[in-house]
Amino acid sequence: MPLVFAEPPISLSTANALAVFFAGSYVGSLYLSKNARLSFKRGSIKPKQGQQRTKEQDERWRDDPDVIRARLAAASLSTLSSCVAVLGLVWKLLGWAPTAFPVAFETTLARLGFDVPASLSELVFPCLVTPVLFLGPLYGYWLSGALPLQRNWSWKLSVIPLLTTWQSVRNYMVGPTTEEIVFRSCSLAVYHLAGASRVKMIFMTPWLFGIAHIHHAWDIYNRYGRTGAAVKHAAIATLFQSSYTSLFGFHTAFLFLRTGSLIPPITAHIFCNIMGLPQLGTQLTMFPHRRRAIKVAYLLGIAGYIYAMNRWTLAPESLYWRPADAIAMF
């Protein structure tokens, strides 16, 4: 029988402070150690138009293997600290009693979405929502023969590079997992305890995720020569990335709240990182004889997404999508 609070046990200001702490500690951890920090030579260098400059000796760039390793370790520790903070908060709400710790631990696992969905359908269907949205890009890949088992696909060239480089470990494994734990489950857990509405949790909390990507501007500015053009390039790229990641955050926040599980948001994050942004214009240029079919596939993807988000995501046992306004803790 779940413990039900008649009123939210924490305030919205407390939830805001915790969410900022989660985001700030995650980004800040990337700059704490010397091995994780980036370093660039001073002075302006004018690279070829639209291209980043050549890396100089003794510089440390974002994609250097040793930088990636240090940052993955830092992000993982920061993620663990955020989870421990949520556990501490839940334990405090239960009175700090030693006998209450097992309940607090189990409660925290449930609130952070670490529980496995009750049925196979509740596990599989929410994970298929994002691929449905990408029906258009996937159709373009099919036309290119680049989908699994097609003529231009191979384990050696299409799969192994996604699993064996430090960039792939960051982009497709550790990055999506830690970011979804910190910016989705930890943040949404505290906002839910504060009694925030679903609308606020879906459409307000992801902005922190978008803002957290602004620090990439410094990297872009230096890689593109530290010139006026580099400032413009960094501003545009960062604004676009922050906006795109915020929109993506709306999507994964909805998935998390509807399912009560981290698995759909993490798989969606990995899938989107692999697919990249849709390239409608490029695909229309590459396959002019299939222009209408490509456009139809994109429209069907949007329609299918709207249908699937409503019908494929709701888990009856989701802690976050119950009709009652009270806060329940397992």
Side-chain angles (χ1 to χ4, degrees), residues 117-127 259 261 264 312-317:
S119 67
L120 183 63
S121 62
E122 291 177 13
L123 172 64
V124 173
F125 280 102
C127 295
T259 64
S261 172
W312 291 3
T313 57
L314 181 59
E317 298 302 319

Side-chain angles (χ1 to χ4, degrees), residues 153-197:
W153 181 92
S154 70
W155 282 100
K156 181 178 180 180
L157 298 178
S158 304
V159 178
I160 300 302
L162 298 180
L163 304 174
T164 57
T165 67
W166 281 108
Q167 289 186 44
S168 63
V169 171
R170 177 193 63 196
N171 295 340
Y172 311 127
M173 301 177 198
V174 180
T177 301
T178 57
E179 287 180 359
E180 290 305 315
I181 291 174
V182 170
F183 292 96
R184 233 63 65 195
S185 61
C186 288
S187 295
L188 291 172
V190 296
Y191 276 110
H192 187 253
L193 285 170
S197 67

Side-chain angles (χ1 to χ4, degrees), residues 91-314:
W91 194 13
K92 177 183 177 183
L93 295 176
L94 293 177
W96 293 118
T99 55
F101 181 79
V103 177
F105 186 76
E106 184 179 357
T107 297
T108 302
L109 291 181
R111 288 194 171 275
L112 294 182
F114 290 122
D115 286 351
V116 178
S119 67
L120 183 63
S121 62
E122 291 177 13
L123 172 64
V124 173
F125 280 102
C127 295
L128 295 177
V129 172
T130 308
V132 167
L133 177 62
F134 277 75
L135 181 61
L138 288 171
Y139 178 62
Y141 276 103
W142 181 78
L143 292 175
S144 301
L147 290 182
L149 304 182
Q150 286 191 289
R151 63 187 183 277
N152 294 325
W153 181 92
S154 70
W155 282 100
K156 181 178 180 180
L157 298 178
S158 304
V159 178
I160 300 302
L162 298 180
L163 304 174
T164 57
T165 67
W166 281 108
Q167 289 186 44
S168 63
V169 171
R170 177 193 63 196
N171 295 340
Y172 311 127
M173 301 177 198
V174 180
T177 301
T178 57
E179 287 180 359
E180 290 305 315
I181 291 174
V182 170
F183 292 96
R184 233 63 65 195
S185 61
C186 288
S187 295
L188 291 172
V190 296
Y191 276 110
H192 187 253
L193 285 170
S197 67
R198 292 171 183 167
V199 171
K200 180 180 178 63
M201 288 191 287
I202 293 171
F203 294 107
M204 296 300 294
T205 59
W207 287 109
L208 267 179
F209 182 51
I211 293 172
H213 287 78
I214 290 179
H215 73 104
H216 290 308
W218 174 246
D219 173 44
I220 297 172
Y221 167 66
N222 281 279
R223 285 191 292 108
Y224 280 82
R226 302 171 67 99
T227 64
V231 172
K232 182 178 179 181
H233 185 89
I236 294 174
T238 305
L239 178 61
F240 178 80
Q241 185 181 34
S242 297
S243 300
Y244 175 76
T245 51
S246 296
L247 289 173
F248 174 77
F250 303 156
H251 168 67
T252 52
F254 184 87
L255 284 177
F256 180 78
L257 294 176
R258 290 277 286 185
T259 64
S261 172
L262 262 173
I263 296 175
I266 290 175
T267 57
H269 201 142
I270 294 171
F271 180 84
C272 287
N273 280 5
I274 292 173
M275 292 293 295
L277 292 173
Q279 302 293 327
L280 175 59
T282 301
Q283 292 175 343
L284 292 175
T285 302
M286 289 177 60
F287 307 103
H289 57 295
R290 297 291 182 92
R291 292 176 65 90
R292 179 175 296 180
I294 292 172
K295 292 178 181 179
V296 170
Y298 271 81
L299 292 175
L300 287 176
I302 295 172
Y305 172 77
I306 295 172
Y307 175 89
M309 279 293 273
N310 184 46
R311 292 168 176 81
W312 291 3
T313 57
L314 181 59

